Amino acid sequence: MKTHVRVLVIGGGVVGVSTLFHLTKKGWTDVALIERTELTAGSTWHAAGLLPLFNMSYTVGQLHKYSVDLYKRLPAETGQDVSFHVTGNLRLATCSERMDEYQKYCGTANTIGVPFEVIAPARVKELWPLIELGGSADTPAIIGALYHPHDGHIAPADLTMALRKGARAAGAEIYEHTEALGFERTASGEWRVRTSKGEILAEHLVLATGNHARQTGRLLGLNIPAIPVEHQYIVYDESPELKAYRAGGGRELAVLRESDKSYYLREERMGWILGPYEHGAPARFADGVPEWFGRSLFPGDLDRLVPHVEAATRRVPALEHCGIKDIINGPISYAPDGSPLIGPAWGVRNVWLNEGHSFGITAAGGAGWQLAEWIVEGEPGIDMLAVDPRRFGAYTSKRYVVQKNEETYRNVFTIHFPDEERPEARPAKTSAVYDRLDAKGAVWGQRYGWERANWFAPPGVERKDRWSFRRSNYFEHVGNEARLMRGRVGVIDLTPFTKHEVTGPGAEAWLDGLVANKVPAKTGRMALSHALTRRGGIRSEFTITKIAEQHYYVVSAGAAERYDSDYLFKSLPADGSVGLRNITNTRGCFVLAGPKSREVLAQLTDTPLDNTSFPWLTAQVIEAGLAVDVYALRVNFVGALGWELHFPIEYAHHLFDALFAAGKAHGIGMVGMRAMESLRLEKSYRMWGSDMTPDYTPFEAGLDRFVRMNKGPFIGREALEKQLASGVPNRFVTLEVHGVTDADPLGNEPLFEPGGRMIGRATSGYYGHCLRKSLAIGYARTDRSQPGTQLEIEILGERKSATVLRESPYDPDNLDLRA
Ligand SMILES: Cc1cc2nc3c(=O)[nH]c(=O)nc-3n(C[C@H](O)[C@H](O)[C@H](O)COP(=O)(O)OP(=O)(O)OC[C@H]3O[C@@H](n4cnc5c(N)ncnc54)[C@H](O)[C@@H]3O)c2cc1C
């Protein structure tokens, strides 16, 4: 066994071996993998081997696409067959919301180049002659389907062996029966790994330990939010009907998914495999995998299977005539949102996670590809925010993960509405004024563990969403909130903002090297600043305010807390010249905005608020009511006269009550997240994570005014220089979408030349309630981005015409903000 490697991968399931394979592809061949028992002994050996391309996530969709393409060429590349049956896969729809879901997915699929067809029932029958099209209460009529002709199923163990062969041929080493038992960081920054066979020193560690993720994490002080859930499938004996169909020349049937009954069905040796996603499947191993659980399974639970077996038998009567050969019930790893954890671990250096895979056979190729790129190049090649392990924070307690993972599992096949808010593990994190907002009719959602008011139900209106891909029950109320903000004065509770304090003699220079904008040099000034990747993409957005000499207040997206904090802490200079504190939970934030906001705030403070004393884009530390040390920032995300008040958390109740008392005469009211979305789209304000991602540079994002190319070095500058020299390929656009009656764009819709080719994608969309226009923002090819250009956007399968508008269709000259 080697005693020193560049990268040590821990875990020999398909995901670990794929990571090893891809590291060698990137030219890193001094790499090894250790496996505590044998390759594939975790979840990989018993997986059903399905490779669904379908995924609602832009990122995960790209990973799956890469995998399916790779697996097709792997046999030629490695000389090892992987039994890839390209059967295609068919997802049935029996209700119109399901068709909406498929159509929404098709938009994403178009933007990442996944081929698909939306087909009618007659074509379903043609592709799948053994199916009943239905039409009764217990077997509803199929109204259409989504068909992917190019995916299918694979033999997971063969796939792992092909990846192993490729990795070893390139020089990687694999040590089976070698367990990682402990990790220690050496003075030189390497990792000393204690294994059951001796010690190995490694520059980088990759954890790909599947069901053991929590145990492995614990050895490094990491609370990894991955806990497996039981997942079963039934293996049937030979089916006479299937045999007859195949004997008559029928080709292997596509993998079938009846989403509305939550099961999949595929052929297996002239019989079937039926896999449901049942209600009541329990999470397992929350405290670790017991020693006795090796290449093991759980006993089958027929009770949970029965409703799905019955539904499938009604849909495919051939199932009735075959006996059950086996029930496989194994642990399937999950993270709370159902997407894997791929990327750097937080708080420790050179530790990488490839954990939490619930579709690990499908994802392994893409996950290995991007993680290897990240390790070798320092950055992934595509936007990986949706799978970055740091999208979760310290709130992922054991109970939280158990409840969420069980919920995610049972919802695999439910319709993924864009406004869906699932109920488990809530409320968990609440702002100090939660009860006050609740009393005002808040209809809650959850993000990063925080309860956030999506909208406020007026008295007499049911406090409930009817989730939809179209305008729904809250539309009118959201509109009223937006109009309140533009017309009078409203309050948004943005306490979840991520907040850091940066102090010390090196603070300014350090921040300046991290972001593309100039860090403010004068106290009371602020700058919207973007931290870039080395490729010039946007990694973070920070509002940096100079509070005092050597004292900066840095605010970023609430959901970016661990992601940004980890980056900032890991980037600190070693000389101790910069102090950094995450003060997210010590300050609350209320946005007070609208034309009457100055009059409201003036009743609480003696600080002059006129334009000369307190201009737009400046900040002051003020007293407000009885509250002291309130950072008042004259900015906001809604484009109105107003202030963000960042106050010591102990003043939350007082300040909230004082604002409402002072605002009563002006008709002050609460404004929720959905109205904020409408208001910010009217101003073309980009949202981190959807409109600003590592896929686009600030020039593409139209953020040129926040980039100071001549200020000195900053991360990403060289890439920006290159892009300026070669030409900026895409440009940010704001679109008015015409002819929308009930389905506004929501993001991830493809943009086309009229009647022609795809030239971009929308990244967000909403109804602009004050402008009374359906709006989208996104990226279009530069030559198609000028105001006035006519484009088309595909919304739920329908092409709509759209016009590129001048940026900030509401108040383009920012007169409200400067009022
Ligand atoms: C019944 C069932 C059906 C499934 N069907 C499908 C499907 O059709 N399609 C699909 O995409 N996915 C499917 N899955 C999911 C799929 O099996 C997993 O996502 C995938 O196998 C995960 O691979 P992995 O490499 O992450 O983990 P594993 O395969 O679990 O590998 C982790 C490895 O790490 C090793 N290890 C752990 N700790 C240590 C340590 N300290 N030192 C050394 N080694 C260690 C373990 O021994 C194990 O071999 C299914 C799962 C189940 C349960």
Short mmCIF file of all heavy atoms in Angstrom, two decimals, residues 363-386:
data_model
loop_
_atom_site.label_atom_id
_atom_site.label_comp_id
_atom_site.label_asym_id
_atom_site.label_seq_id
_atom_site.Cartn_x
_atom_site.Cartn_y
_atom_site.Cartn_z
N ALA A 363 -26.07 9.51 -10.99
CA ALA A 363 -25.30 10.74 -10.78
C ALA A 363 -23.80 10.50 -10.76
O ALA A 363 -23.02 11.46 -10.93
CB ALA A 363 -25.73 11.40 -9.47
N ALA A 364 -23.36 9.25 -10.54
CA ALA A 364 -21.94 8.99 -10.26
C ALA A 364 -21.02 9.59 -11.33
O ALA A 364 -20.02 10.23 -11.00
CB ALA A 364 -21.70 7.49 -10.15
N GLY A 365 -21.35 9.39 -12.59
CA GLY A 365 -20.49 9.90 -13.65
C GLY A 365 -20.30 11.40 -13.54
O GLY A 365 -19.18 11.91 -13.45
N GLY A 366 -21.41 12.12 -13.50
CA GLY A 366 -21.36 13.58 -13.44
C GLY A 366 -20.74 14.07 -12.14
O GLY A 366 -19.98 15.05 -12.13
N ALA A 367 -21.06 13.38 -11.04
CA ALA A 367 -20.53 13.80 -9.73
C ALA A 367 -19.02 13.63 -9.69
O ALA A 367 -18.30 14.48 -9.16
CB ALA A 367 -21.20 12.99 -8.62
N GLY A 368 -18.51 12.54 -10.26
CA GLY A 368 -17.06 12.32 -10.30
C GLY A 368 -16.38 13.33 -11.22
O GLY A 368 -15.33 13.89 -10.89
N TRP A 369 -17.03 13.58 -12.33
CA TRP A 369 -16.50 14.53 -13.33
C TRP A 369 -16.31 15.92 -12.72
O TRP A 369 -15.22 16.50 -12.78
CB TRP A 369 -17.51 14.56 -14.49
CG TRP A 369 -17.47 15.68 -15.46
CD1 TRP A 369 -16.40 16.09 -16.20
CD2 TRP A 369 -18.57 16.54 -15.83
NE1 TRP A 369 -16.77 17.13 -17.02
CE2 TRP A 369 -18.09 17.42 -16.82
CE3 TRP A 369 -19.92 16.62 -15.45
CZ2 TRP A 369 -18.91 18.39 -17.41
CZ3 TRP A 369 -20.73 17.59 -16.04
CH2 TRP A 369 -20.23 18.45 -17.00
N GLN A 370 -17.35 16.45 -12.09
CA GLN A 370 -17.25 17.81 -11.57
C GLN A 370 -16.40 17.88 -10.30
O GLN A 370 -15.71 18.86 -10.09
CB GLN A 370 -18.65 18.38 -11.34
CG GLN A 370 -19.28 18.91 -12.61
CD GLN A 370 -18.40 19.93 -13.32
OE1 GLN A 370 -17.95 20.91 -12.74
NE2 GLN A 370 -18.14 19.70 -14.60
N LEU A 371 -16.47 16.85 -9.46
CA LEU A 371 -15.65 16.93 -8.24
C LEU A 371 -14.16 16.86 -8.60
O LEU A 371 -13.35 17.60 -8.03
CB LEU A 371 -16.03 15.82 -7.25
CG LEU A 371 -15.39 16.02 -5.88
CD1 LEU A 371 -15.83 17.35 -5.24
CD2 LEU A 371 -15.73 14.88 -4.92
N ALA A 372 -13.82 16.01 -9.55
CA ALA A 372 -12.41 15.94 -9.97
C ALA A 372 -11.96 17.28 -10.53
O ALA A 372 -10.86 17.78 -10.23
CB ALA A 372 -12.24 14.83 -11.01
N GLU A 373 -12.82 17.89 -11.32
CA GLU A 373 -12.50 19.20 -11.89
C GLU A 373 -12.26 20.23 -10.77
O GLU A 373 -11.32 21.02 -10.80
CB GLU A 373 -13.69 19.62 -12.75
CG GLU A 373 -13.59 20.99 -13.33
CD GLU A 373 -13.54 20.98 -14.86
OE1 GLU A 373 -13.58 19.90 -15.45
OE2 GLU A 373 -13.43 22.08 -15.41
N TRP A 374 -13.11 20.17 -9.77
CA TRP A 374 -13.05 21.11 -8.64
C TRP A 374 -11.72 20.94 -7.87
O TRP A 374 -11.05 21.90 -7.51
CB TRP A 374 -14.22 20.80 -7.70
CG TRP A 374 -14.81 21.97 -6.96
CD1 TRP A 374 -14.18 23.10 -6.55
CD2 TRP A 374 -16.17 22.08 -6.54
NE1 TRP A 374 -15.06 23.91 -5.90
CE2 TRP A 374 -16.29 23.32 -5.87
CE3 TRP A 374 -17.30 21.28 -6.63
CZ2 TRP A 374 -17.49 23.76 -5.30
CZ3 TRP A 374 -18.49 21.72 -6.07
CH2 TRP A 374 -18.59 22.94 -5.41
N ILE A 375 -11.37 19.66 -7.63
CA ILE A 375 -10.15 19.39 -6.86
C ILE A 375 -8.92 19.81 -7.67
O ILE A 375 -8.03 20.49 -7.15
CB ILE A 375 -10.07 17.88 -6.51
CG1 ILE A 375 -11.23 17.49 -5.59
CG2 ILE A 375 -8.73 17.54 -5.87
CD1 ILE A 375 -11.39 15.99 -5.38
N VAL A 376 -8.89 19.44 -8.92
CA VAL A 376 -7.69 19.68 -9.73
C VAL A 376 -7.58 21.15 -10.15
O VAL A 376 -6.52 21.76 -10.07
CB VAL A 376 -7.69 18.74 -10.97
CG1 VAL A 376 -6.54 19.08 -11.91
CG2 VAL A 376 -7.62 17.29 -10.53
N GLU A 377 -8.71 21.72 -10.60
CA GLU A 377 -8.67 23.10 -11.12
C GLU A 377 -8.96 24.13 -10.04
O GLU A 377 -8.84 25.32 -10.28
CB GLU A 377 -9.73 23.27 -12.23
CG GLU A 377 -9.68 22.27 -13.36
CD GLU A 377 -8.55 22.54 -14.34
OE1 GLU A 377 -7.98 23.63 -14.27
OE2 GLU A 377 -8.23 21.64 -15.12
N GLY A 378 -9.43 23.67 -8.89
CA GLY A 378 -9.81 24.62 -7.84
C GLY A 378 -11.25 25.09 -7.97
O GLY A 378 -11.77 25.76 -7.08
N GLU A 379 -11.90 24.76 -9.08
CA GLU A 379 -13.28 25.18 -9.31
C GLU A 379 -13.99 24.19 -10.21
O GLU A 379 -13.35 23.59 -11.07
CB GLU A 379 -13.30 26.53 -10.03
CG GLU A 379 -13.23 27.69 -9.09
CD GLU A 379 -12.80 28.97 -9.77
OE1 GLU A 379 -12.78 29.01 -11.01
OE2 GLU A 379 -12.48 29.90 -9.05
N PRO A 380 -15.28 24.03 -10.02
CA PRO A 380 -16.00 23.15 -10.95
C PRO A 380 -16.23 23.85 -12.28
O PRO A 380 -16.11 25.08 -12.36
CB PRO A 380 -17.33 22.91 -10.23
CG PRO A 380 -17.53 24.13 -9.39
CD PRO A 380 -16.17 24.63 -9.01
N GLY A 381 -16.58 23.09 -13.29
CA GLY A 381 -16.76 23.67 -14.62
C GLY A 381 -18.16 24.18 -14.86
O GLY A 381 -18.42 24.91 -15.81
N ILE A 382 -19.12 23.76 -14.02
CA ILE A 382 -20.49 24.24 -14.17
C ILE A 382 -20.97 24.76 -12.81
O ILE A 382 -20.32 24.51 -11.78
CB ILE A 382 -21.46 23.12 -14.65
CG1 ILE A 382 -21.53 21.97 -13.63
CG2 ILE A 382 -21.05 22.60 -16.02
CD1 ILE A 382 -22.65 20.98 -13.91
N ASP A 383 -22.08 25.45 -12.83
CA ASP A 383 -22.65 25.96 -11.58
C ASP A 383 -23.08 24.79 -10.69
O ASP A 383 -23.99 24.05 -11.06
CB ASP A 383 -23.84 26.86 -11.96
CG ASP A 383 -24.75 27.14 -10.78
OD1 ASP A 383 -24.32 26.96 -9.63
OD2 ASP A 383 -25.91 27.55 -11.02
N MET A 384 -22.43 24.63 -9.56
CA MET A 384 -22.72 23.49 -8.68
C MET A 384 -23.43 23.93 -7.40
O MET A 384 -23.51 23.15 -6.43
CB MET A 384 -21.41 22.77 -8.33
CG MET A 384 -20.75 22.08 -9.52
SD MET A 384 -21.58 20.54 -9.98
CE MET A 384 -20.83 19.40 -8.80
N LEU A 385 -23.97 25.15 -7.37
CA LEU A 385 -24.58 25.63 -6.12
C LEU A 385 -25.68 24.70 -5.62
O LEU A 385 -25.82 24.49 -4.42
CB LEU A 385 -25.17 27.03 -6.34
CG LEU A 385 -24.15 28.16 -6.53
CD1 LEU A 385 -24.86 29.45 -6.92
CD2 LEU A 385 -23.33 28.36 -5.28
N ALA A 386 -26.42 24.09 -6.53
CA ALA A 386 -27.56 23.26 -6.11
C ALA A 386 -27.13 21.97 -5.43
O ALA A 386 -27.95 21.30 -4.81
CB ALA A 386 -28.43 22.93 -7.33
#
